[in-house]
């Protein structure tokens, strides 16, 4: 972590915390839930030592960045607005972008709305999810998985926050980061996260207690609502992006996913990724990498390999 600098910047009407290191072409690193800039700790060091300037923000609602209270402030237009303002503030015309989880979802929209600002994209875990004009996302998730599916459970403001408070931020961080079952993640109303003293969570080799403490400390301080509001704005994003139905993403792309990633096992995901539709919607998709034995938090689980994948790709440009 040595040499990583931190500052608070004004973007799009909010104060945003960014971590940065290195000099050279800018690589913007976008995290997901329940994560922070810290999820990119390994990649920041690797990119900086390879002649790039790595910039990892805490996205709106997370960590030391402002968290507007209403979920209506968390649509893809808000988040992409923050990112464009950040790129402007960094004083560059274009950046490389690397996204994971919600960061990947927002990176797709950044490339859809402003391809002129992105040299190339490396996205992890979450493939492009094209807008289906026939039904809203939450309706689709309920139909596929039922009310206990985690994205559906999150929709009611305060409900999951209470569950997070019951078990504590440290347990929430451990629970999410250690998931290796690629089946749908359920949070049943009756049992919640199903944590018991008789069944403690064992940390994997790639996640230390120090790492957990950093994440948990920030979420204890700021709460989970900001991050949860991304899920609550899913349908709002669907409404606002109607003009981009069937639009293509015209940015060079490399996509990487673990074969144990729950998103890779969503109904239709593999068929979309490997069956030609992904390439149709992203014409400049150059490579799809499926990493064996890797789950969702891929850049933390396999940091050296992911850093190499990123560098191998962006060095072409």
């Amino acid at each position: 972590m040595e040499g990583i600098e931190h500052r608070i910047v004004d973007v799009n009407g909010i104060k945003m915390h960014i971590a940065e290191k290195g000099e050279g072409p800018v690589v913007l690193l976008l995290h997901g839930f329940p994560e922070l800039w810290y999820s990119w700790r390994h990649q920041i060091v690797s990119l900086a030592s390879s002649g790039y300037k790595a910039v990892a923000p805490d996205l709106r609602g997370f960590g030391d960045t402002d968290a507007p209270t209403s979920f209506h402030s968390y649509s893809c237009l808000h988040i992409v607005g923050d990112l464009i303002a950040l790129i402007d503030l960094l004083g560059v015309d274009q950046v490389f972008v690397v996204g994971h989880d919600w960061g990947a979802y927002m990176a797709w929209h950044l490339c859809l709305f402003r391809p002129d600002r992105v040299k190339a994209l490396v996205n992890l875990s979450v493939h492009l999810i094209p807008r289906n004009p026939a039904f809203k996302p939450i309706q689709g998730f309920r139909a596929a998985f039922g009310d206990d599916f985690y994205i559906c459970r999150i929709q009611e403001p305060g409900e999951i926050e209470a569950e997070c408070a019951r078990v504590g931020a440290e347990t929430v961080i451990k629970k999410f980061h250690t998931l290796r079952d690629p089946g749908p993640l359920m949070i049943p109303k009756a049992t919640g996260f199903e944590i018991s003293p008789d069944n403690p969570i064992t940390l994997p080799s790639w996640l230390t207690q120090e790492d957990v403490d950093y994440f948990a400390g920030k979420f204890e301080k700021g709460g989970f609502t900001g991050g949860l509001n991304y899920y609550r704005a899913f349908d709002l994003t669907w409404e606002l992006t109607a003009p981009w139905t069937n639009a293509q993403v015209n940015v060079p792309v490399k996509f990487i996913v673990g074969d144990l990633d729950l998103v890779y096992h969503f109904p239709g995901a593999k068929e979309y990724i490997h069956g030609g539709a992904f390439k149709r919607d992203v014409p400049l998709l150059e490579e799809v990498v499926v990493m064996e034995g890797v789950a969702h938090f891929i850049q933390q689980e396999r940091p050296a390999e992911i850093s190499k994948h990123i560098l191998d790709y962006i060095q072409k440009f």
Side-chain angles (χ1 to χ4, degrees):
M1 300 303 101
E2 199 173 313
I4 297 178
E5 296 179 350
H6 298 266
R7 58 179 168 140
I8 303 293
V9 296
D10 290 306
V11 295
N12 196 24
I14 64 168
K15 292 192 179 301
M16 171 179 275
H17 164 252
I18 62 172
E20 53 194 342
K21 183 179 172 72
E23 295 297 333
V26 174
V27 184
L28 196 57
L29 302 159
L30 309 177
H31 69 79
F33 178 89
E35 300 180 86
L36 303 162
W37 74 269
Y38 190 82
S39 303
W40 300 107
R41 58 199 177 278
H42 307 292
Q43 287 74 35
I44 291 171
V45 174
S46 175
L47 287 162
S49 66
S50 302
Y52 292 89
K53 181 181 180 65
V55 180
D58 282 338
L59 293 178
R60 172 184 293 238
F62 289 92
D64 294 318
T65 293
D66 284 351
T69 52
S70 170
F71 77 83
H72 292 94
S73 295
Y74 291 83
S75 76
C76 66
L77 293 176
H78 290 86
I79 310 306
V80 171
D82 297 345
L83 299 176
I84 291 295
L86 176 57
I87 295 168
D88 287 344
L89 183 134
L90 294 169
V92 293
D93 291 329
Q94 287 192 313
V95 296
F96 293 106
V97 178
V98 184
H100 172 254
D101 190 75
W102 274 111
Y105 184 81
M106 295 306 173
W108 289 120
H109 285 90
L110 171 61
C111 293
L112 186 64
F113 300 153
R114 293 301 303 272
D116 58 308
R117 305 308 298 271
V118 181
K119 283 184 200 172
L121 169 66
V122 180
N123 250 355
L124 314 178
S125 298
V126 177
H127 56 279
L128 180 70
I129 302 172
R131 184 181 185 277
N132 185 337
F135 52 82
K136 296 183 178 184
I138 304 306
Q139 178 187 351
F141 287 127
R142 283 195 202 282
F145 302 117
D147 290 341
D148 283 342
F149 184 56
Y150 77 109
I151 292 175
C152 302
R153 280 292 316 282
I154 286 168
Q155 295 307 306
E156 184 59 40
E159 197 171 280
I160 291 298
E161 285 91 335
E163 176 64 16
C164 291
R166 183 181 70 82
V167 299
E170 180 181 343
T171 298
V172 174
I173 296 301
K174 287 181 176 179
K175 177 74 174 175
F176 273 92
H177 279 76
T178 58
L179 281 171
R180 299 196 74 76
D181 179 356
L185 171 59
M186 299 295 184
I187 308 176
K189 272 200 171 184
T191 54
F193 284 120
E194 300 181 283
I195 307 291
S196 75
D198 305 325
N199 189 25
I201 300 171
T202 304
L203 292 181
S205 60
W206 50 268
L207 188 72
T208 67
Q209 184 60 45
E210 185 183 8
D211 297 332
V212 171
D213 290 345
Y214 185 88
F215 284 117
K218 293 298 181 183
F219 281 102
E220 286 281 6
K221 179 184 169 190
F224 287 94
T225 299
L228 294 169
N229 278 339
Y230 283 67
Y231 298 92
R232 293 166 185 154
F234 232 142
D235 281 354
L236 176 60
T237 282
W238 179 88
E239 292 171 12
L240 294 172
T241 52
W244 290 274
T245 302
N246 297 324
Q248 292 179 319
V249 173
N250 285 301
V251 165
V253 174
K254 177 174 185 173
F255 177 68
I256 309 167
V257 66
D259 66 352
L260 298 178
D261 195 311
L262 76 170
V263 183
Y264 189 55
H265 291 265
F266 278 7
K270 290 180 191 175
E271 293 79 3
Y272 177 78
I273 291 167
H274 301 294
F278 195 11
K279 178 71 174 173
R280 176 201 66 210
D281 295 337
V282 187
L284 301 179
L285 176 67
E286 295 184 25
E287 195 176 353
V288 172
V289 178
V290 180
M291 294 176 66
E292 291 185 12
V294 185
H296 185 64
F297 295 92
I298 188 167
Q299 81 274 42
Q300 297 183 74
E301 184 175 345
R302 295 283 180 87
E305 287 173 67
I306 291 299
S307 294
K308 186 175 187 306
H309 274 300
I310 294 167
L311 284 164
D312 284 350
Y313 189 60
I314 67 176
Q315 282 169 350
K316 295 179 184 180
F317 297 91

